[in-house]
Amino acid sequence: MSRYVNIWALIATAYMAVFTYGEAAGGEFPGDSGRNPYMKQCPGAGQSFYGGYHYLPGTDTCFSIGGYLWAEYYYNNYTKFPAANSRSYTISTYGFQANALTDTEHGTLSAYIDIRLQYRTAQEWGFPEAENNEFQANPWTMYGQFGGLTFGILQSMFDFYANINVYGTDPGTIGDQEQITLLAYTFELAQGWSATISLEDAALRNDGVNPADANSGIIFQSVAKSPDIVAAIGQSGDWGKFQLSGALHHEGANIAASSQMPGRGYSVSKGSFWGYALQAGVMFNLPHIAEGDSLYLQTAYVDGAVSYLGLVNASGIFAPPDAFLNADGSFSAVSGWNATFQYLHNFNTIWNAAIFGGYASFDLNNAVAEHTIGASGGNNYSIGGNIVWQPNAAFNVSVQYEYNMYEARNYTNTGNGLPVRQQASSQLLIMAQRMF
């Protein structure tokens, strides 16, 4: 009996299955009559994607493959941005998905992959793509599970709402949604309760350390001192679900050996600090309004871990760091909070619509930084909605609009922060999606 599944072997095997085996006939697939005359369905494995599970010939592993095609058209219009940034662009996506289940004497081992091959004509929010860099291959999800253990690349265990029912590759909604490398263990408890502890890639969470004096010209390298430690507890039931989650983020900074030659490498450690993030989210099922309706509410607080806020800063200017380094060598953390919502309504089995929005605020918490940057902090808010036509489970067309505002509080133009007090952006998405 197989004891493990190699994810890359799973990719090759799944593709072999696509090209080797033909149409289903009575639950059996005609195949290589010399070696593997049939692929048989896995009893009791359930459905995965659109084809169910079938045994890999000669093994006890059940597998299922699927995929999707996306065609996305974006138009972005900016207020007080460079005029060249108002543009339309497209993204074409082929996603390959595969799932495998292997029974062992200690339980079921599963492996899942979702790889996206994309061609885009501009970066997120319409900024021009570097020449010859339009094609991207992204391992969006790639993980294994054994009992309560989960390892690989998947959505952070901190996340809850995470842009559900929001469409497109480049959503502009406030709140954390991070695909990240992690190692987690989940304890399944009674009455729908569960608890998870996770070690997650801290490098993706580092928003950096800046000198408190923005005019100093000193450049720091942000250093992840350890994986982020994430914990979550929640419950799900017929009424909906909720989750409380928290994260500890340990980050440090190195400064160049010579402040006059910052490009010569970072060799002088300036110490480290601990940041943290807390989040609470709840989802209510609302069948008394319409079957499938739901409402999400979520809020988060961060201190020295700004990435968990999920700010939408389309220009990238005046992006808050995790902390500032003071002249005496101490760190002062940037703090902030957010609140988000999303409501999905089903008009019937073919049409549905969602509205969503969020507000975030952050404080620099450093008098020198506030003076030299020209702001005490910032506000970010967004609102959007979509309408979806879905004639069947495998195909839909959506139209989505999002408006985003990013602004500085107590604004002064010092040349180190935003060039203007507010920058607004509008994003229109038309998307067709086919799943198979």
Side-chain angles (χ1 to χ4, degrees), residues 279-299:
Q279 182 172 271
V282 61
M283 185 275 281
F284 298 101
N285 289 320
L286 303 173
H288 57 282
I289 299 177
E291 186 65 28
D293 280 25
S294 62
L295 173 66
Y296 277 84
L297 301 172
Q298 180 178 281
T299 186

Side-chain angles (χ1 to χ4, degrees), residues 327-414:
D328 62 1
S330 63
F331 291 92
S332 59
V334 175
S335 61
W337 64 277
N338 70 24
T340 58
F341 79 95
Q342 185 261 116
Y343 172 59
L344 173 69
H345 175 62
N346 292 271
F347 298 101
N348 50 46
T349 58
I350 297 176
W351 291 93
N352 67 72
I355 58 172
F356 45 87
Y359 176 86
S361 177
F362 62 88
D363 297 301
L364 300 185
N365 299 323
N366 186 293
V368 175
E370 293 174 14
H371 176 72
T372 57
I373 292 173
S376 61
N379 301 322
N380 181 203
Y381 56 88
S382 65
I383 188 73
N386 58 48
I387 187 164
V388 181
W389 175 63
Q390 187 165 348
N392 57 63
F395 178 74
N396 66 57
V397 176
S398 57
V399 178
Q400 180 171 283
Y401 171 79
E402 298 177 74
Y403 174 83
N404 181 73
M405 174 65 75
Y406 194 86
E407 62 183 5
R409 291 198 309 274
N410 301 312
Y411 174 75
T412 302
N413 188 356
T414 64

Side-chain angles (χ1 to χ4, degrees), residues 10-11 14 48-49 63-66 96-100 111-114:
L10 173 61
I11 298 173
S48 177
F49 312 118
F63 87 101
S64 181
I65 59 174
F96 171 75
Q97 298 171 303
N99 198 5
Y112 179 86
I113 60 172
D114 181 345

Side-chain angles (χ1 to χ4, degrees), residues 72-76 78 85 87-91 120-127 169-171 427-430:
E72 301 170 69
Y73 169 81
Y74 287 91
Y75 177 73
N76 294 318
Y78 298 98
N85 292 339
R87 68 174 63 239
S88 60
Y89 67 102
T90 60
I91 305 176
R120 55 163 69 231
T121 59
Q123 296 175 354
E124 187 173 3
W125 291 100
F127 285 85
T169 302
D170 296 342
Q427 183 187 78
L428 175 67
L429 165 67
I430 301 174

Side-chain angles (χ1 to χ4, degrees), residues 115-377:
I115 296 177
R116 296 180 178 180
L117 306 178
Q118 293 186 318
Y119 182 89
R120 55 163 69 231
T121 59
Q123 296 175 354
E124 187 173 3
W125 291 100
F127 285 85
E129 189 75 18
E131 187 176 0
N132 300 323
N133 194 35
E134 292 95 349
F135 179 80
Q136 300 173 353
N138 299 317
W140 182 251
T141 303
M142 188 178 295
Y143 68 89
Q145 286 184 319
F146 185 71
L149 185 67
T150 302
F151 51 93
I153 303 171
L154 67 158
Q155 190 168 337
S156 170
M157 296 298 177
F158 181 86
D159 293 352
F160 179 71
Y161 161 55
N163 289 340
I164 192 168
N165 301 319
V166 179
Y167 283 78
T169 302
D170 296 342
T173 50
I174 292 169
D176 196 60
Q177 184 195 25
E178 189 70 69
Q179 297 293 118
I180 202 164
T181 303
L182 60 80
L183 173 65
Y185 193 88
T186 299
F187 302 88
E188 298 293 342
L189 309 173
Q191 298 180 334
W193 287 84
S194 65
T196 299
I197 184 73
S198 179
L199 300 178
E200 304 189 358
D201 184 5
L204 291 178
R205 295 293 193 180
N206 283 357
D207 278 359
V209 176
N210 290 349
D213 183 355
N215 295 313
S216 69
I218 297 175
I219 301 174
F220 293 112
Q221 178 190 43
S222 179
V223 180
K225 293 295 187 178
S226 67
D228 279 17
I229 304 170
V230 175
I233 187 169
Q235 184 194 33
S236 61
D238 293 339
W239 63 273
K241 59 184 178 179
F242 84 95
Q243 178 177 291
L244 302 175
S245 52
L248 291 174
H249 175 70
H250 191 199
E251 184 178 348
N254 292 345
I255 189 173
S258 170
S259 61
Q260 303 301 315
M261 304 175 67
R264 294 292 296 273
Y266 300 87
S267 60
V268 180
S269 173
K270 302 303 292 185
S272 63
F273 65 95
W274 283 94
Y276 66 90
L278 301 170
Q279 182 172 271
V282 61
M283 185 275 281
F284 298 101
N285 289 320
L286 303 173
H288 57 282
I289 299 177
E291 186 65 28
D293 280 25
S294 62
L295 173 66
Y296 277 84
L297 301 172
Q298 180 178 281
T299 186
Y301 177 82
V302 305
D303 188 275
V306 172
S307 74
Y308 288 93
L309 275 184
L311 297 170
V312 181
N313 180 0
S315 72
I317 303 171
F318 185 45
D322 287 323
F324 292 100
L325 183 62
N326 299 303
D328 62 1
S330 63
F331 291 92
S332 59
V334 175
S335 61
W337 64 277
N338 70 24
T340 58
F341 79 95
Q342 185 261 116
Y343 172 59
L344 173 69
H345 175 62
N346 292 271
F347 298 101
N348 50 46
T349 58
I350 297 176
W351 291 93
N352 67 72
I355 58 172
F356 45 87
Y359 176 86
S361 177
F362 62 88
D363 297 301
L364 300 185
N365 299 323
N366 186 293
V368 175
E370 293 174 14
H371 176 72
T372 57
I373 292 173
S376 61

